[in-house]
Structures are given as C-alpha cells and as structure tokens.
Amino acid sequence: MAILENIRKRTTVLILIIGLALFAFVISGVFSSNELGGGKVGSSVAEINGDEISIDQFRRDVEAYSRMAGPTASSMQLVNQVWDRQVRNTILDQQFEELGINIEQDQIINYIKTIPSYVQNPEFHNASGVFDENKFREAVADWKANNPGRYALWLQDEQAIIQNAKEQTYFNLIKAGVGSTLKEGELDYKLANDKVDIKYVRVPFTSIPDSSIAVTKKEIEAYVNDHKKDYKQDRSRDVEFVYFEEKPSLEDENAVKEEINKLMEDRVEYNAQKDANDSIKGFKNTTDMIAFLDRNSDIKYDTIYKAKKDLPAKFADTLMALEKGSMFGTYRDGDYFKVSKMMDRKANGTVKSSHILISYAGAQRANPEVTRTKEEAEAKAKELLTEAKRSGTVFAELARDNSDGPSAPQGGDLGYNQEGVMVAPFNDFTFSNPVGAIGLVETDFGFHIVKIDDKQDIVRIATLAREIEPSEETINTLFTEATKFEMETTSDKDFAVAAKENNFVVRPVNKIKAMDENLPGLSAQRAIVQWAFNDDTKLGEVKRFNINNGYAVVRLTAKYAEGLMSVEDASALVLPKLRKEKKAAQIIEANKGKTMESFAKDNNVIASTASALTMKSPIIPGAGSEAFVVGTAFAMEQGATSGLIKGDSGVYMLTVTKKEEAAKLDNYSTYANNLQASAAGRVNFAVYNALKEASTIEDKRAIFY
C-alpha cells in the first residue's frame, strides 16, 4: 500500500507507468495477466534448459485440468497432459524471449476474432449483431469488478490465447523462410513421373536360414557404438506378476441361483410383531411386482415398454416370444443371474419408418438455403409421392436424392419409434396404417412422404436379478493363496517354479517407464510402477499389491539405465540387421561374375519383371519397397545389366528394359508451390520436435507422483 501511495503522489511516474502498460498491452492491461501466475515456490518438478518448473504451479495446473476433464481422466493422465503442455510452453517461451516475440493489444484482439466461442457470443455483440472489441473489453472489466469466478476463468483463457498468438507469430516467421524453387518443383515432378521398366532376379535373404549365420557379441557391440543415436534407451523396468483375481467361485454362482430359486416360490415367515406366520408371495405369484423387486432384486422394475432391440441381444428372441404371465430363466446375463416374466405386450407398439422431407422458406428448422414457397413444396411433395408409389421405385434412393431432412444420407430411415415420440400428424399416420403404406403428411417442418417399413410389438418385462459376487469365504481363500505365494517367492523358491507348482499364470511386462500408470492385464497400477523404480527395490525382489478385484504378486526382473543400450538389450534389434548384411555378403560372394541367367538358375529362382517404377514410389511387386534398387535402375542406360545389388529384401541383378522420361512442362510452379505448402504444413510439428530433442530436460515427476 505504501508503494501505491507514493505512485499516487507522483503524477509523472503514474503517466509513464500507464504508457508502458498500454505499449505492452496484454488484454489484462485492463486486467492483470499475472494474477493467476505464481513464483517458483518450493521444489521444482522439472528443469528445462536451465529453467525450473515449480511443483506448486504444476499442481495448480493439474487441478485446473482435472476440473475441465471430469471424473473419467485418471490422475496420471492429467499429470502427463499438463507435463506435455508445460514442456512445450517452456521450450517455446525460451525461443520467444530470445527472439523478442511479444504480443500487443491489436494482435490479441485479432486472434480472439478467430475463436468462434468469443466471436459468436452475443455478450460481445454490438447492435448489429457483430463482435465488438469495445463490448468485449467492457465485459472483461465488468467480470473483474463484479464476477471474480468468471474473471479467473478468463485469465486462464487469456494465458492460452497469448501463448497461441505467440506460437502463431513464431511459426509464421519460420514458414516465411520456407520456400521451393522451380528446379525443386521440376525434380519433384520427375521423381513422380519418370518411369523405368526392369527385368530382375532376386535371391531373398530368407533363402538362407538364420541359424546358419553366426553373429558375435562383439559385432553387436560394434554396431551399437556405430549407431548410438538409434539405440538410446530411457530409464525403464521389467516386471512379472501373478494376478489373483477376486471373482466368484462355482459355489458362489450356485448359491446365487439357489437364492433366486427360493424367491420364485411363496414362503412362510414368522412375524414377531403379530406373533404369527405370514404368507409371502414369491416372484411367480406376487401382485405387487414393484415392491417385490425393490426388496429382492439387484435390478429394479422398469415399467417402460421396450422393443426387441432394447432387450439383451442373446435372449431377445426368447423374451419376445413369452406369453403374458409366462417366465424365462434362470439365465445368466453378464454378471447377473436372472428370471424374467412377461407382464404386458402392446402389438405393433413400435414403428420403423422412412420419409422424404420437402421443406419451404419459413418452415420450422428449415435450411436457410431453402427458398421454395409452401405451395411449391406441396406440389413437389405430391410429385414425389406419385413416384414413390410407382412399382420398382427404391424409396431410399428417392430420399437420398430429394429429402431436405438430416436423414437423407441414410435413405430417409428414421428407425423404430414408439407412439407419441414423433410429431402428431406423423405419429398418427404411422400408427394408423399398415406396413408398406406410403402417404403424404404435413407438419411444421414441411411436407413428408412417409413410408412404413416395419412394425414390432413392445413388451413390459419384470426381471428378478441377482449379481454374481465372490463370497467372503472366496475372498479369504484368495487372500491366503496370494499371501502364501508371496511368502514362498520371497524366501528361496523360484518365482516361475512356484507359479508352475500352483498352476498360476506368470505374465511379464517389459520396459515400463517411470511415469507409466497402466500395466497390461492390471490396468492403472501406479503403486507397482513406483515400487519398481524405487532405488531400494532390489532386482528379483517380490511384493504383493492390493489391486482392484484382487491381488498381484510382482517380481522385479530387470533394470535399465538411461543411455546407450547394452549388448543384451540391443541384440533383438541388431541381430536381424547384422544377419541381413552377412547374408547379402554371402550371396554376393557366391555369385560373383555370373550372368543373370546363371544367377537365377544356380539359386533356384526365376526372373521377374516390374513396370512403370518411379523414384517417388519405388515399390517392386512381390518384393516391397526397394529404393536403392530402383534408384540404381534409374542411373543405368536402357538395355544395360547391373551387377549384384544389395536390397532390403534380398540381392538383385537387373536389366533396364525401358526408360521413359516424363513430358517437359512449360512451368513447374505448381509442383514448387505444393512442395512449399507441404513443408510449411510440417513446420509446427517438426520445429517443436527438433527443439525438444535439442533441449536438456530433467524430469522429476516421479518424485512427486
């Protein structure tokens, strides 16, 4: 307050401050953009190129995201989303600062004008119904003074708008430097349109068994060292686990069936208040189905009539065939045992219909492009009605070509609807006429040519249902089994051996990352991941975890440090490549100096042909992509035969049978422009990825989450 008082006393200083604020205007010049910001308080969750990210601000961002995402997103999904956004913003902000990119008033207003949610909001419209920046400023000022909650939401939006506007400016600067010359356009044209035909012999690498090719550990190590960029790895872990699923036993299922069977019949119960026995009607005979199912069923009585499509698909035919008062069951439907009783049926209670809507100017929900009058619409509808009734006419095609309704792409199909769902005239026609009838109906939407496609009964069914759940005895037995297995494997018994002795299935999960959450077969199990990455957890250590619907006994099987892969870890990736190189060398050595005919004959293969190959699509039918082989063919003269060529799938020898140059164009600007547009379209993605790859990012999230 003392500082503010001093400023008030110094008019010149005040004017200067106001001038600077207007110059650097970030819509919150009326409204301060720093109010939701925060200093870097407490520990950092990351360090990006030397800039620390405050864990306090990070947590606030996660909380804000959780409010927007709702209950469906897991906590780790939110953390990872905020992380990706924070890393991107920090890396790009560093670029903005270095280049001096800032956003001023006009730029922000112009950017807001591209956002439909602002431009289309009547709150910011002038008397002409057009977005007015002055109305917008007034609204934000009013929020600040009278609606702090709305103002806080605006400040969040504002930060995103500022960031997006800066990004747009930054990437546009880069795109301005992206260009393509006419020569590049000409090359692109020739790569796509110059063609070559070849006759070739290919000896595939699969002709030599992998088992006959020896690759040493030193060779793998040398290859990895020569290709370090391709064999980097993140810090990760391997685990294996046995899942003890909490599910009902056969005895539990039989017990539920027995409960349902008891509820079917009438029974006698002692009433202590009356000191007498009461006769209680069962499901078969009850006269108050709602009360009975409220007391005895896990699914309450649904009094709504249902069509066949609304019944359980597996049992729909059987249920629809029941007579009134008859029952079906006991049957299993998912996790429930059920008995169903037909309470009532309405014949032809749901109708499937199609229509062709002919709308007119002024009709309800009419497309603004519709200009015909009501009289013209009626005349056209009558013409279409005559055509629809004509023998051989396909109603769906007529609807697709003529209907103004949203169902036109579906041939006018409106599906099944019960009585009272459609507007009254439409409803009356469909329920008063037989299947196959076609007629003209007028509603507020226009004129409808209506066809009745089908009618089905609807039914009201009462279902006594009991969920099949594990009993307390089953749960206790499962806990005992899991605990016993954990104790055996933490002592001296091998994990796999103990599992085999007990007929348990061991499931491996490899290369878990520090911020992973979901484990295949166990879903979200953050606690297991944290345990696996804990420095105190030793290789081979076993631990039991309580998880949803049971227990998991987990063993840590491998630890991988960040950096270059070890020979063992890289071997699965490197072995196929080294084998291919050795096979190529072996085939080339064995066939030096041979003609194409002898090369084919000695290797028991036949010559093939490929036509109209291009450099832009170097696909050889039956062999796949072979860029080097096709490129070699383009470098040869017509009629020339190559030596042995190492391709991706085998060793080739080829003869160029025809070369065809594309016709010269007067101008290659179209191709140059396409190249430039394609390159510009990749700028946002490619530039950010390059910046991220070049950044030093220290991720500390695993400490906090």
Side-chain angles (χ1 to χ4, degrees):
M1 291 301 292
I3 294 173
L4 290 175
E5 187 61 32
N6 286 332
I7 291 175
R8 290 191 189 101
K9 292 176 181 177
R10 301 185 185 191
T11 308
T12 305
V13 174
L14 182 59
I15 292 170
L16 179 60
I17 290 173
I18 292 171
L20 290 172
L22 289 173
F23 178 75
F25 181 86
V26 173
I27 293 275
S28 299
V30 189
F31 0 84
S32 170
S33 65
N34 292 321
E35 291 187 25
L36 281 189
K40 294 169 184 172
V41 180
S43 303
S44 65
V45 71
E47 189 173 310
I48 303 172
N49 296 326
D51 286 351
E52 290 190 343
I53 308 300
S54 162
I55 183 59
D56 302 302
Q57 182 59 51
F58 190 86
R59 282 173 172 154
R60 284 194 290 271
D61 290 345
V62 171
E63 178 62 28
Y65 259 59
S66 70
R67 288 194 294 270
M68 291 186 290
T72 55
S74 73
S75 58
M76 289 310 299
Q77 286 175 325
L78 294 169
V79 167
N80 292 333
Q81 287 173 10
V82 172
W83 169 260
D84 291 339
R85 189 196 69 167
Q86 187 68 69
V87 170
R88 178 185 175 86
N89 288 354
T90 302
I91 290 173
L92 291 176
D93 282 346
Q94 291 167 348
Q95 293 292 305
F96 303 156
E97 185 176 353
E98 186 175 337
L99 295 172
I101 293 175
N102 210 335
I103 302 301
E104 297 184 11
Q105 175 182 2
D106 291 343
Q107 291 170 283
I108 293 178
I109 289 292
N110 288 336
Y111 191 85
I112 287 173
K113 288 178 180 177
T114 67
I115 303 174
S117 60
Y118 284 97
V119 176
Q120 296 172 8
N121 190 337
E123 188 176 4
F124 312 133
H125 289 178
N126 58 23
S128 302
V130 178
F131 177 83
D132 187 325
E133 59 187 76
N134 292 321
K135 296 279 285 185
F136 173 71
R137 288 194 187 91
E138 289 170 8
V140 177
D142 181 65
W143 299 340
K144 184 179 182 182
N146 303 309
N147 193 339
R150 180 78 182 273
Y151 182 63
L153 290 174
W154 154 248
L155 288 177
Q156 291 180 16
D157 275 357
E158 181 191 42
Q159 293 305 310
I161 288 168
I162 293 168
Q163 185 70 21
N164 290 338
K166 285 182 178 179
E167 286 187 20
Q168 188 179 75
T169 301
Y170 174 71
F171 288 125
N172 283 344
L173 287 171
I174 297 173
K175 288 175 184 177
V178 174
S180 292
T181 65
L182 290 176
K183 273 296 179 186
E184 289 173 317
E186 181 181 1
L187 175 61
D188 186 61
Y189 168 75
K190 290 177 69 63
L191 289 175
N193 294 283
D194 284 355
K195 294 180 174 64
V196 66
D197 296 352
I198 63 172
K199 178 182 178 181
Y200 69 94
V201 172
R202 177 179 70 112
V203 177
F205 294 134
T206 54
S207 63
I208 301 175
D210 287 350
S211 57
S212 67
I213 303 297
V215 178
T216 66
K217 188 174 179 179
K218 284 189 176 181
E219 288 173 323
I220 295 173
E221 184 177 11
Y223 189 91
V224 171
N225 286 329
D226 289 341
H227 303 82
K228 290 181 178 178
K229 188 176 179 180
D230 298 330
Y231 296 98
K232 289 180 180 178
Q233 67 179 9
D234 296 324
R235 185 167 169 250
S236 60
R237 299 288 185 267
D238 289 352
V239 300
E240 59 183 6
F241 68 89
V242 171
Y243 178 31
F244 295 85
E245 186 179 4
E246 197 173 90
K247 60 183 180 181
S249 65
L250 182 60
E251 290 76 13
D252 296 334
E253 293 183 14
N254 290 333
V256 174
K257 280 185 182 178
E258 189 176 338
E259 287 178 16
I260 286 184
N261 290 334
K262 288 179 180 178
L263 290 168
M264 296 287 291
E265 307 297 337
D266 297 348
R267 64 188 188 277
V268 175
E269 285 187 3
Y270 174 71
N271 188 323
Q273 291 180 339
K274 296 179 181 178
D275 191 24
N277 290 331
D278 284 344
S279 179
I280 300 174
K281 292 188 179 297
F283 183 67
K284 287 181 181 178
N285 302 315
T286 183
T287 56
D288 188 349
M289 187 61 76
I290 294 176
F292 180 87
L293 293 182
D294 277 346
R295 288 195 307 270
N296 299 296
S297 178
D298 291 332
I299 298 176
K300 306 311 175 190
Y301 186 30
D302 188 350
T303 58
I304 296 173
Y305 283 85
K306 293 185 177 180
K308 180 179 176 180
K309 67 181 179 62
D310 301 317
L311 301 176
K314 188 176 179 181
F315 307 101
D317 288 333
T318 303
L319 293 171
M320 287 298 295
L322 291 174
E323 296 293 332
K324 186 175 178 179
S326 61
M327 295 189 299
F328 168 63
T330 305
Y331 63 95
R332 180 164 185 167
D333 183 19
D335 292 330
Y336 292 86
F337 278 125
K338 297 179 177 180
V339 179
S340 294
K341 183 177 183 179
M342 178 65 72
M343 303 299 291
D344 194 19
R345 177 189 298 273
K346 286 184 181 179
N348 297 328
T350 181
V351 176
K352 184 178 187 293
S353 59
S354 304
H355 80 141
I356 303 168
L357 171 63
I358 305 302
S359 187
Y360 54 85
Q364 190 171 336
R365 297 184 192 171
N367 190 313
E369 295 179 3
V370 175
T371 58
R372 70 174 72 91
T373 65
K374 183 176 181 179
E375 292 73 20
E376 289 170 338
E378 184 176 11
K380 182 175 181 180
K382 287 178 178 178
E383 289 177 10
L384 288 169
L385 175 63
T386 302
E387 188 173 349
K389 289 183 173 182
R390 188 177 297 129
S391 177
T393 298
V394 179
F395 192 89
E397 292 179 1
L398 202 63
R400 273 195 292 269
D401 295 339
N402 296 280
S403 181
D404 295 326
S407 64
Q410 291 77 46
D413 185 4
L414 296 173
Y416 285 92
N417 290 283
Q418 293 188 30
E419 193 163 6
V421 172
M422 311 297 277
V423 292
F426 201 107
N427 180 86
D428 294 344
F429 177 84
T430 55
F431 280 91
S432 302
N433 290 282
V435 173
I438 299 175
L440 183 62
V441 174
E442 181 184 354
T443 72
D444 292 339
F445 299 97
F447 295 92
H448 308 256
I449 298 91
V450 183
K451 179 175 179 285
I452 302 174
D453 299 313
D454 187 29
K455 291 191 176 186
Q456 290 185 359
D457 293 354
I458 54 175
V459 294
R460 192 168 65 193
I461 293 176
T463 297
L464 171 62
R466 282 293 179 92
E467 189 173 4
I468 307 165
E469 296 179 306
S471 64
E472 188 174 344
E473 182 182 352
T474 298
I475 293 171
N476 291 339
T477 301
L478 189 73
F479 174 77
T480 301
E481 287 182 350
T483 304
K484 181 182 176 185
F485 181 70
E486 178 193 20
M487 292 174 65
E488 285 180 352
T489 53
T490 50
S491 54
D492 57 352
K493 185 167 283 191
D494 181 82
F495 196 86
V497 171
K500 187 175 181 180
E501 288 177 355
N502 291 280
N503 294 318
F504 298 150
V505 177
V506 178
R507 306 181 193 182
V509 183
N510 298 326
K511 298 297 174 69
I512 302 168
K513 302 294 193 305
M515 290 307 296
D516 283 351
E517 178 181 27
N518 294 316
L519 301 182
L522 294 178
S523 66
Q525 298 300 330
R526 183 65 189 152
I528 294 176
V529 176
Q530 290 174 317
W531 168 79
F533 278 88
N534 192 314
D535 291 337
D536 295 333
T537 304
K538 297 179 176 59
L539 204 60
E541 189 170 329
V542 175
K543 184 174 180 179
R544 173 176 51 81
F545 291 86
N546 297 350
I547 62 174
N548 293 336
N549 300 320
Y551 308 93
V553 179
V554 187
R555 186 172 84 95
L556 180 63
T557 56
K559 293 184 176 184
Y560 304 95
E562 184 178 4
L564 195 63
M565 287 184 180
S566 67
V567 173
E568 290 76 15
D569 296 339
S571 62
L573 300 172
V574 175
L575 267 174
K577 296 180 180 180
L578 291 180
R579 283 181 181 140
K580 186 185 286 188
E581 288 185 2
K582 291 196 171 192
K583 288 179 181 181
Q586 186 174 312
I587 294 169
I588 291 171
E589 181 63 31
N591 293 280
K592 278 183 179 178
K594 291 183 180 178
T595 64
M596 187 181 291
E597 290 74 18
S598 61
F599 180 51
K601 182 180 178 182
D602 294 347
N603 290 279
N604 198 30
V605 295
I606 59 173
S608 302
T609 60
S611 303
L613 300 175
T614 68
M615 286 291 289
K616 207 158 192 178
S617 181
I619 308 296
I620 298 178
S625 180
E626 289 287 5
F628 184 73
V629 176
V630 174
T632 301
F634 271 99
M636 296 166 58
E637 297 294 329
Q638 184 170 316
T641 300
S642 72
L644 297 171
I645 307 167
K646 177 195 166 191
D648 286 334
S649 62
V651 174
Y652 291 76
M653 184 179 287
L654 63 88
T655 296
V656 176
T657 57
K658 181 181 177 183
K659 291 186 77 173
E660 182 182 347
E661 286 193 20
K664 293 185 181 296
L665 302 180
D666 293 334
N667 192 304
Y668 296 95
S669 59
T670 299
Y671 289 88
N673 291 339
N674 288 342
L675 283 175
Q676 181 172 338
S678 177
R682 297 192 300 270
V683 162
N684 294 32
F685 178 78
V687 168
Y688 170 67
N689 281 346
L691 290 171
K692 184 179 178 183
E693 189 174 340
S695 296
T696 302
I697 302 173
E698 187 179 354
D699 183 356
K700 305 175 186 176
R701 283 178 294 164
I703 298 172
F704 303 98
Y705 296 97

